[in-house]
Amino acid sequence: MLLINLFIATLFLAYSNGANDNFKGVATLFCSRASSYQTAILWATFTTLAGAGTATLLGSTLIKNFSGKGLVPDAIANAPEFHIAVAIAAGLTVLIATLMGFPISTTHSLTGALVGAGLVAIGLKVNFAALGTSFILPLLLSPIIAIPLGAGIYSLSDYINSKWNLPVNQKMVDTCHFISAGVVSFARGLNDTPKIFSLILIIEYFSIQGGMITIAIAMALGGLLNSQKVAVTMSEKITSMNHPQGLSANIVTGVLVIAASRFGLPVSTTYVSVASIFGVGLIGKKNNMRVFYHILLSWIITLPTAAIISAITYRLLQG
């Protein structure tokens, strides 16, 4: 019964993840009016599924990182109650943010949930050194790197165009923009699917391939049915942009997330995509700082919120 509950809780987390994250890869398409909302979310769904499929071959390091092993003793990390608490806490945190229109990080929610359940299980014996080097540092560095990269890539392309007065083929720009959005969504599926699947790794019934495909389907449904509010925030409230700006932001996001997936670093696609869009917007001085500060605040409270929910849930499951 515990394993069935774990499976349901993990599907809930995957659904919440899709609702909050799926549109982020194609936000620049809708923002620049390169596509309608429906076209953008369908493209995001298809490319996310492709990334999830590829994750069955490349995601082994992330699966290990988010199973809880290394943070807590293996006996606890292998317990269904521990994984149920993590899945419920992360899923609720992400879903609440989604309903409020805040694009937060599932990676950060999972990290907070792992810490909360771990503190209840073993107190201050949680491996905080592993937490810092394998989780917190990559999460913090990713937006710090993405903001200047987004600004720099767009500034460089704008400078080259103005310096040499290169002819602009709008159809080619639009095509590249669509491809880049697909790359970002592909990278998100590649990076997020192993993290969520790690929670049901202890269910021996699932193969890695079958488990990841199941998670990917739940993520796709979440994006198709509940991504509208986050879509509005990402596409209309942070900044306005044109096609070259959207392309620049997507290039930065895709490169950073795919590189992180290759090396098993748990970066947040949310942090990278929001930061790269913000970086591009800095050049045109069109950013809505009030919205950006609200998003930053939601990022700050994500970890403690997930940790508290996870700690309470794990304690109730123990009782």
Side-chain angles (χ1 to χ4, degrees), residues 17 21-22 44-45 47-56 59 62 182-196 212 215-216 219 257 261 269:
N17 169 272
D21 282 16
N22 274 17
T45 301
T47 49
T48 298
L49 286 171
T54 307
T56 62
L62 286 172
V183 168
V184 173
S185 295
F186 177 91
R188 198 194 72 75
L190 181 67
N191 196 265
D192 280 5
T193 309
K195 300 171 191 173
I196 299 174
M212 285 200 184
I215 295 300
M219 288 166 56
V257 175
S261 300
T269 308

Side-chain angles (χ1 to χ4, degrees), residues 7-310:
F7 176 65
I8 294 171
T10 304
L11 288 184
F12 166 65
L13 170 58
Y15 181 94
S16 299
N17 169 272
N20 197 275
D21 282 16
N22 274 17
F23 197 83
K24 292 166 185 172
V26 295
T28 60
L29 292 179
F30 189 44
C31 180
S32 62
R33 296 301 181 261
S35 77
S36 65
Y37 171 83
Q38 289 79 9
T39 300
I41 192 62
L42 286 174
W43 180 231
T45 301
F46 172 76
T47 49
T48 298
L49 286 171
T54 307
T56 62
L57 303 174
L58 303 177
S60 58
T61 303
L62 286 172
I63 290 174
K64 180 181 177 181
N65 283 346
F66 279 85
S67 66
K69 295 181 179 180
L71 285 177
V72 297
D74 287 357
I76 296 172
N78 289 328
E81 297 91 341
F82 183 84
H83 289 272
I84 291 172
V86 171
I88 290 175
L92 276 176
T93 303
V94 174
L95 185 62
I96 291 169
T98 301
L99 296 176
M100 297 176 67
F102 288 119
I104 69 166
S105 166
T106 301
T107 305
H108 213 171
S109 299
L110 277 168
T111 303
L114 286 168
V115 172
L119 286 173
V120 170
I122 58 173
L124 296 178
K125 294 180 181 179
V126 171
N127 189 346
F128 288 103
L131 179 70
T133 55
S134 298
F135 294 87
I136 303 299
L137 192 59
L139 286 172
L140 291 177
L141 285 178
S142 52
I144 293 174
I145 294 171
I147 288 176
L149 272 181
I153 292 291
Y154 176 65
S155 296
L156 179 62
S157 64
D158 192 49
Y159 172 79
I160 292 174
N161 285 335
S162 61
K163 179 78 173 178
W164 284 282
N165 195 25
L166 299 176
V168 177
N169 186 323
Q170 191 59 48
K171 186 175 181 180
M172 180 65 71
V173 172
D174 291 349
T175 300
C176 290
H177 192 182
F178 261 89
I179 293 173
S180 69
V183 168
V184 173
S185 295
F186 177 91
R188 198 194 72 75
L190 181 67
N191 196 265
D192 280 5
T193 309
K195 300 171 191 173
I196 299 174
F197 171 74
S198 66
L199 297 175
I200 57 172
L201 189 61
I202 61 173
I203 303 178
E204 296 180 358
Y205 174 79
F206 284 110
S207 65
I208 290 180
Q209 291 78 10
M212 285 200 184
I213 290 172
T214 305
I215 295 300
I217 291 172
M219 288 166 56
L221 287 174
L224 289 172
L225 299 178
N226 277 110
S227 64
Q228 292 88 345
K229 288 190 176 181
V230 171
V232 170
T233 299
M234 292 287 295
S235 301
E236 299 179 357
K237 294 185 177 180
I238 297 176
T239 189
S240 58
M241 64 175 59
N242 54 33
H243 297 291
Q245 289 172 324
L247 176 59
S248 299
N250 285 348
I251 290 172
V252 171
T253 303
V255 169
L256 286 180
V257 175
I258 289 175
S261 300
R262 175 64 183 84
F263 293 103
L265 299 175
V267 303
S268 166
T269 308
T270 301
Y271 292 2
V272 174
S273 61
V274 171
S276 59
I277 288 173
F278 181 79
V280 168
L282 281 177
I283 303 303
K285 298 180 180 179
K286 296 179 180 179
N287 285 333
N288 187 331
M289 296 304 299
R290 182 170 173 271
V291 170
F292 186 67
Y293 289 144
H294 285 169
I295 292 173
L296 281 180
L297 179 62
S298 72
W299 291 357
I300 291 170
I301 66 175
T302 293
L303 194 147
T305 300
I308 291 169
I309 297 173
S310 179

